[in-house]
Amino acid sequence: MTDLALDQLRTLAAVVGEGSFEAAAASLHVTPSAVSQRIKALEAATGRVLVRRTRPVAVTEQGAAVLRAARQVDLLLADLVPSVAHPGPVTIPVVVNADSLATWFVPSIAVVADQVCVDVHREDEQHSLGRLRDGTVLAAVAADPGRVPGCTVTSLGTMRYRAMATPGFVARWFADGVSAAALATAPVVQFDRLDDLQHRFVRRVTRRRVDPPHHYVPGSEAYRDAVRLGLGWGMLPDLQSAALEQTGAVREIGERTRIDVRLFWHLAQLESRPLALLSDAVHAGARRHLS
């Protein structure tokens, strides 16, 4: 592979991060034509198509390695010549699951906010590593402990979920206990179509497939409120449900409803002070909030 120009690498990262050539141009303070020319030059230099001209722009499989290199070079330059590479805090793209984002993650990184900026991508904890593999992010909170090439992985701790609902909902739908028949008819709240926590609980109880009525509420706080307002039952993390349970707003739908989700921190293997600061803050926050 021939030498790659720094401005071309930064332009690739901007195009993928911003989602379009126009938005990338605005963030880089250049014209869309300049962005297009840089990407074409980079593709010519590598001999590969690096991005799909879709909306939003998507990196190709071949472009993922170049994007990952672009992210890493930018971080290394921030350490080497911070005043030239970054007049302010360096921005680190990271993927985090919605429940961590709504509970422990943001308070954890607040202590380094004056030194590191984050570009958070939200993704289900079971599917976060795809963003790390394709170079979109440099760090990930994920439930998958599998090693991503070029990255380290360490344990963060466990988020505990329990099947919760309002007392009135439990009295109506689970008066005779949490049975296969009750779970087949009681409405359930799903975060989205990738969320399998409720399915895991149902399979554990029923040992067979059931298809209850579903609400889809794709927002962590909105999901909690949907359960609190009686739309259905759902798996709530203890970090969200503890206060509601104390006031009597929600309760477990039955016994032994617990599902523990172990979380891991995946980090690009780079000697970078901003990356180290972020990682230390995440680990310290996880120790405070996770079990």
Side-chain angles (χ1 to χ4, degrees):
M1 184 182 293
T2 188
D3 292 341
L4 305 180
L6 181 58
D7 64 340
Q8 294 170 4
L9 291 173
R10 283 180 170 164
T11 299
L12 174 65
V15 165
V16 176
E18 299 294 335
S20 73
F21 281 45
E22 294 78 10
S27 71
L28 295 170
H29 306 292
V30 298
T31 66
S33 176
V35 168
S36 180
Q37 289 171 9
R38 290 178 185 178
I39 295 299
K40 287 179 180 178
L42 188 58
E43 290 179 326
T46 59
R48 303 180 180 193
V49 175
L50 303 179
V51 294
R52 299 185 186 91
R53 273 69 168 174
T54 55
R55 285 194 176 272
V57 167
V59 67
T60 64
E61 184 177 350
Q62 294 82 5
V66 182
L67 176 61
R68 190 158 45 248
R71 303 280 197 199
Q72 294 173 354
V73 166
D74 216 25
L75 268 184
L76 293 173
L77 281 175
D79 276 349
L80 183 63
V81 280
S83 61
V84 175
H86 289 278
V90 65
T91 297
I92 298 175
V94 55
V95 62
V96 184
N97 64 302
D99 289 336
S100 291
L101 196 57
T103 53
W104 67 272
F105 186 81
V106 173
S108 300
I109 65 171
V111 296
V112 294
D114 61 336
Q115 303 174 77
V116 179
C117 289
V118 293
D119 178 6
V120 176
H121 300 248
R122 192 187 69 186
E123 185 62 85
D124 181 85
E125 65 272 9
Q126 301 289 343
H127 302 85
S128 301
L129 295 192
R131 299 288 188 96
L132 196 61
R133 292 189 183 96
D134 69 16
T136 303
V137 301
L138 291 173
V141 175
D144 186 347
R147 183 77 177 266
V148 176
C151 298
T152 61
V153 56
T154 51
S155 176
L156 289 173
T158 298
M159 286 192 75
R160 176 160 295 170
Y161 292 77
R162 289 177 296 151
M164 310 291 284
T166 65
F169 187 94
V170 174
R172 177 180 178 184
W173 296 100
F174 299 108
D176 297 323
V178 181
S179 63
L183 288 170
T185 56
V188 60
V189 184
Q190 296 279 124
F191 185 88
D192 58 24
R193 285 160 179 79
L194 295 176
D195 176 16
D196 74 339
L197 278 176
Q198 287 70 220
H199 293 301
R200 286 169 59 185
F201 173 71
V202 169
R203 286 193 300 268
R204 190 174 71 187
V205 172
T206 66
R207 306 293 180 183
R208 61 185 177 87
R209 180 180 177 83
V210 299
D211 189 23
H214 286 74
H215 298 285
Y216 291 100
V217 184
S220 191
E221 292 88 351
Y223 182 95
R224 174 203 60 202
D225 290 343
V227 173
R228 177 181 62 84
L229 294 171
L231 270 70
W233 69 272
M235 303 298 298
L236 289 178
D238 283 358
L239 290 174
Q240 276 191 324
S241 65
L244 294 176
E245 194 173 15
Q246 287 178 356
T247 65
V250 299
R251 52 162 290 192
E252 288 187 75
I253 65 174
E255 298 180 350
R256 298 186 297 278
T257 69
R258 183 183 74 190
I259 290 181
D260 287 341
V261 176
R262 192 176 176 191
L263 297 177
F264 299 87
W265 178 239
H266 297 259
L267 189 70
Q269 205 163 5
L270 291 170
E271 293 294 332
S272 164
R273 182 174 179 273
L275 213 54
L277 287 171
L278 177 64
S279 186
D280 289 346
V282 168
H283 276 288
R287 287 192 295 270
R288 291 193 301 270
H289 297 286
L290 304 182
S291 57

